[in-house]
C-alpha cells in the first residue's frame, strides 16, 4: 500500500511539470539547389496519383532519375509555423531540441494532445530539463506551401532547418533570447532523413542527433509509397489549400499499415491520427532518397526505430540474415567520425513510435542516451 502511494505521488509530480509554449510564425530566407523534374507531369487526379506510385515503386527502376531533367536554384522567403516550449522560467539556458516531423503529420506529432497529452514527446523532454522547438515542415500544415514537384523538396527543407537552427543559436529567433549552449536535433522518418542531411551538410550546427523511425535501408521504402494508397490531398482533406501533387494516404486502413503495429496501440489514437493526417509533396518523395552517403558529424548519434517498422525495416528490424545486430545498426557506416553511435530497437512498436502504448518507454531511452552523452 505505501509503495503504491509513492508511485502515485511520483506520477503526479511528473505530470505537474510546468509547460510554457509560444507559437510563432517566422519568415526565413531559404536558398537551395533543387531538382527539376520536368520529365514527369504533376499528377492532377487520383488515377494519376496511382500512376505516380506505380512508377515510383517499379523494381529495378529509379523514378527520380527518370523524372530529373536539370537542377535549379530556389531562393525565397517562407513562413514557418513553430512552437517553442520550455519547462519553466528559469530553464532559459537549458539545451534546445529542434524537432522535425515526418510524412503524414505536422509538428503536433511531438505534442499529441490525445489522452491529456500522455503521448507527448515534448512533455517528456521538458520533464528532463530540455527546451523544444518544433515546426511544420516547409510545404506542410501552417508553413508556406509551394509547387509540390520542383519546389518542396528535401534540400530546400534542410536549408530551412539550418536557418531555423542558426536563428535559435544566435538569439534572433522570436522568444529564444537566451542562446542555447547545446542544440540537439531529433526527427521522425523523413524528418530523420532531413536531420541526418543537416548533420552531413552543416555539422557545426548540431551537438547531437536522434533519428527516430529510421534506418539507412531503402529496400522497404516502396512499401510506404504503395501502402499509402495515395490520393490528392485537396480531395481527401478538409483543407483545400494544397494544389494537385500534394498526396495523402487514402484512409485509416492505409494509415494503420504505414504507422501502426497491432495490437500495440489504442484504436482511438489511430482515429485521431487519421483525423489530423497531413500530406506529402511529390517533390519530397522524389528527393527523400538523395541524402549524402556519409556524415562527417563528430557528436553522438542515436537511431531509435520500432521493432516492427514497415518502411525502414520491412516489419522486422532484427531480421538481417546475420549481417548486423539490426537494420538500423547498419547506419553506423554513415557516421565514421561520431563520438558515440547507438541503434536502439523499441519493442512492440511500429513506424509511428509516438502513437504506440509504450511511447514513453522510447522517450526515456532517448533522454537516457542524451544524458549519457553529456547533452
Ligand atoms: C499553438 O499551436 C498548437 C498546435 O501546435 C495549438 O494546439 C495551440 O492551440 C496554439 N496555441 C495558441 C495560443 O494559439
Ligand atoms: C536515383 O537517382 C537519384 C538522382 O540521380 C539519385 O540521387 C539516387 O541516389 C538514386 N537512387 C538510387 C536508389 O539509386
Ligand atoms: C522520361 O520518362 C519516361 C517514362 O515516363 C522514360 O521512359 C524516359 O526514359 C525518360 N527520359 C529520360 C531522359 O530519362
Ligand atoms: C496513455 O494512457 C493509456 C490509458 O490511460 C495507457 O494505456 C497508455 O499506456 C498511456 N500511454 C502513454 C504513452 O503513456
Ligand atoms: C494551424 O492554424 C489553424 C488555424 O489558424 C489552427 O487551428 C491550428 O492549430 C494550426 N495548426 C498548427 C499545427 O499549428
Ligand atoms: C542569425 O542567423 C540568421 C540566419 O542565418 C541571420 O539571418 C541573422 O542575421 C543572424 N543574426 C545575428 C544577430 O547574427
Ligand atoms: C517499453 O519500452 C522500454 C524502453 O525501450 C522497454 O525497456 C520496455 O521493455 C518496453 N515495454 C514493453 C511492454 O514493451
Amino acid at each position: 500500500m505505501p509503495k503504491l502511494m509513492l508511485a502515485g505521488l511520483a506520477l503526479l509530480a511528473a505530470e505537474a511539470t510546468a509547460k510554457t509554449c509560444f507559437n510563432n510564425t517566422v519568415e526565413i530566407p531559404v536558398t537551395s539547389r533543387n531538382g527539376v523534374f520536368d520529365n514527369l507531369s504533376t499528377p492532377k487526379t487520383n488515377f494519376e496519383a496511382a500512376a505516380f506510385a506505380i512508377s515510383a515503386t517499379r523494381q529495378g527502376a529509379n523514378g527520380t532519375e527518370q523524372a530529373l531533367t536539370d537542377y535549379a536554384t530556389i531562393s525565397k522567403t517562407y513562413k514557418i509555423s513553430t512552437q517553442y516550449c520550455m519547462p519553466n522560467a528559469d530553464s532559459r539556458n537549458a539545451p534546445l531540441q529542434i524537432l522535425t516531423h515526418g510524412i503524414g503529420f505536422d509538428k503536433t506529432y511531438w505534442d499529441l494532445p490525445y489522452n491529456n497529452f500522455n503521448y507527448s514527446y515534448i512533455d517528456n523532454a521538458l520533464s528532463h530539463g530540455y527546451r523544444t522547438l518544433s515546426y511544420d515542415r516547409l510545404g506542410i500544415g501552417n508553413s508556406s506551401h509551394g509547387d509540390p514537384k520542383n519546389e518542396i523538396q528535401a534540400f530546400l527543407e534542410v536549408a530551412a532547418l539550418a536557418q531555423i537552427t542558426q536563428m535559435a543559436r544566435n538569439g534572433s529567433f522570436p522568444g529564444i533570447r537566451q542562446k542555447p549552449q547545446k542544440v540537439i536535433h531529433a526527427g521522425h522518418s523523413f524528418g530523420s532523413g532531413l536531420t541526418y542531411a543537416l548533420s552531413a551538410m552543416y555539422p557545426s550546427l548540431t551537438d547531437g542527433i536522434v533519428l527516430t523511425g529510421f534506418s539507412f535501408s531503402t529496400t522497404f521504402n516502396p512499401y510506404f509509397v504503395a501502402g499509402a494508397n495515395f490520393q490528392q490531398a485537396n480531395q481527401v482533406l478538409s483543407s483545400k489549400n494544397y494544389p494537385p501533387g500534394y498526396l495523402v494516404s487514402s484512409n485509416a486502413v492505409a494509415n494503420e499499415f504505414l504507422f501502426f503495429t497491432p495490437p500495440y496501440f489504442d484504436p482511438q489514437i489511430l482515429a485521431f491520427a487519421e483525423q489530423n493526417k497531413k500530406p506529402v509533396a511529390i517533390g519530397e518523395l522524389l528527393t527523400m532518397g538523395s541524402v549524402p552517403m556519409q556524415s562527417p558529424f563528430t557528436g553522438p548519434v542515436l537511431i531509435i526505430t520500432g521493432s516492427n517498422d514497415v518502411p525502414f525495416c520491412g516489419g522486422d528490424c532484427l531480421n538481417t540474415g546475420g549481417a548486423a545486430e539490426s537494420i538500423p545498426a547498419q547506419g553506423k557506416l554513415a557516421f565514421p567520425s561520431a563520438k558515440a553511435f547507438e541503434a536502439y530497437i523499441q519493442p512492440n512498436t511500429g513506424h509511428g513510435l509516438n502513437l504506440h502504448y509504450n511511447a514513453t518507454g522510447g522517450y526515456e531511452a532517448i533522454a537516457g542516451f542524451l544524458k549519457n552523452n553529456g547533452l
Side-chain angles (χ1 to χ4, degrees):
M1 184 63 180
K3 265 187 191 154
L4 267 177
M5 284 185 66
L6 273 177
L9 279 174
L11 199 65
L12 275 178
E15 280 172 357
T17 302
K19 181 186 192 181
T20 310
C21 297
F22 303 96
N23 295 355
N24 278 301
T25 298
V26 295
E27 295 215 346
I28 57 166
V30 183
T31 298
S32 103
R33 183 168 173 267
N34 265 22
V36 176
F37 294 116
D38 280 352
N39 190 31
L40 171 81
S41 3
T42 299
K44 300 260 174 358
T45 63
N46 288 338
F47 285 105
E48 290 173 10
F52 173 81
I54 290 167
S55 336
T57 56
R58 183 167 292 131
Q59 61 127 327
N62 182 336
T64 302
E65 201 158 84
Q66 277 182 9
L68 186 70
T69 54
D70 203 355
Y71 292 92
T73 297
I74 306 243
S75 201
K76 271 198 188 176
T77 297
Y78 292 102
K79 288 193 168 83
I80 302 287
S81 169
T82 73
Q83 181 166 51
Y84 169 58
C85 297
M86 53 186 171
N88 56 52
D90 56 17
S91 59
R92 290 174 190 275
N93 216 3
L96 177 69
Q97 294 193 17
I98 301 185
L99 309 172
T100 304
H101 67 85
I103 293 172
F105 298 93
D106 59 21
K107 62 176 165 326
T108 60
Y109 174 78
W110 302 105
D111 196 23
L112 295 168
Y114 185 76
N115 249 7
N116 195 24
F117 291 91
N118 85 335
Y119 291 83
S120 169
Y121 176 82
I122 289 180
D123 282 6
N124 185 271
L126 299 189
S127 78
H128 289 285
Y130 295 100
R131 296 182 279 170
T132 61
L133 177 61
S134 48
Y135 67 100
D136 289 351
R137 278 194 345 256
L138 178 50
I140 305 300
N142 289 352
S143 292
S144 300
H145 300 177
D147 176 79
K149 186 177 74 173
N150 287 338
E151 185 177 9
I152 304 303
Q153 297 180 6
F155 290 106
L156 191 75
E157 294 175 54
V158 176
L161 175 55
Q163 281 287 350
I164 294 167
T165 305
Q166 249 146 10
M167 288 170 70
R169 279 191 176 273
N170 74 14
S172 68
F173 196 98
I176 310 188
R177 267 158 256 127
Q178 190 84 27
K179 296 179 194 174
Q181 271 150 21
K182 294 271 163 62
V183 179
I184 297 149
H185 288 84
H188 172 239
S189 188
F190 177 56
S192 293
L194 300 176
T195 298
Y196 163 71
L198 179 92
S199 84
M201 298 166 70
Y202 308 87
S204 64
L205 285 186
T206 186
D207 297 297
I209 62 173
V210 177
L211 310 176
T212 80
F214 190 67
S215 79
F216 282 84
S217 167
T218 53
T219 308
F220 309 107
N221 291 177
Y223 290 7
F224 188 91
V225 176
N229 191 18
F230 278 129
Q231 305 199 355
Q232 296 292 342
N234 59 19
Q235 292 185 29
V236 173
L237 300 178
S238 57
S239 163
K240 300 295 171 220
N241 72 17
Y242 291 104
Y246 272 94
L247 308 180
V248 71
S249 64
S250 53
N251 58 32
V253 178
N255 202 327
E256 177 183 355
F257 178 83
L258 300 181
F259 296 108
F260 292 85
T261 296
Y264 305 115
F265 62 92
D266 174 349
Q268 291 307 313
I269 206 173
L270 169 58
F272 176 87
E274 178 62 13
Q275 224 163 35
N276 293 288
K277 71 184 174 187
K278 292 291 178 290
V280 58
I282 57 164
E284 297 179 300
L285 294 171
L286 287 166
T287 53
M288 66 184 182
S290 301
V291 294
M293 296 284 286
Q294 278 197 335
S295 172
F297 183 55
T298 55
V301 177
L302 173 66
I303 303 182
I304 171 169
T305 299
S307 52
N308 299 98
D309 185 297
V310 166
F312 288 96
C313 290
D316 185 355
C317 289
L318 297 177
N319 187 0
T320 65
E325 233 174 275
S326 69
I327 294 171
Q330 294 170 317
K332 192 176 198 310
L333 292 172
F335 297 100
S337 311
K339 81 168 189 195
F341 174 90
E342 187 180 333
Y344 188 83
I345 304 304
Q346 173 63 9
N348 305 330
T349 298
H351 184 51
L353 292 90
N354 294 10
L355 301 137
H356 288 74
Y357 283 133
N358 195 17
T360 303
Y363 304 160
E364 289 298 320
I366 293 170
F369 175 85
L370 294 174
K371 300 287 178 197
N372 281 342
N373 285 284
L375 290 172

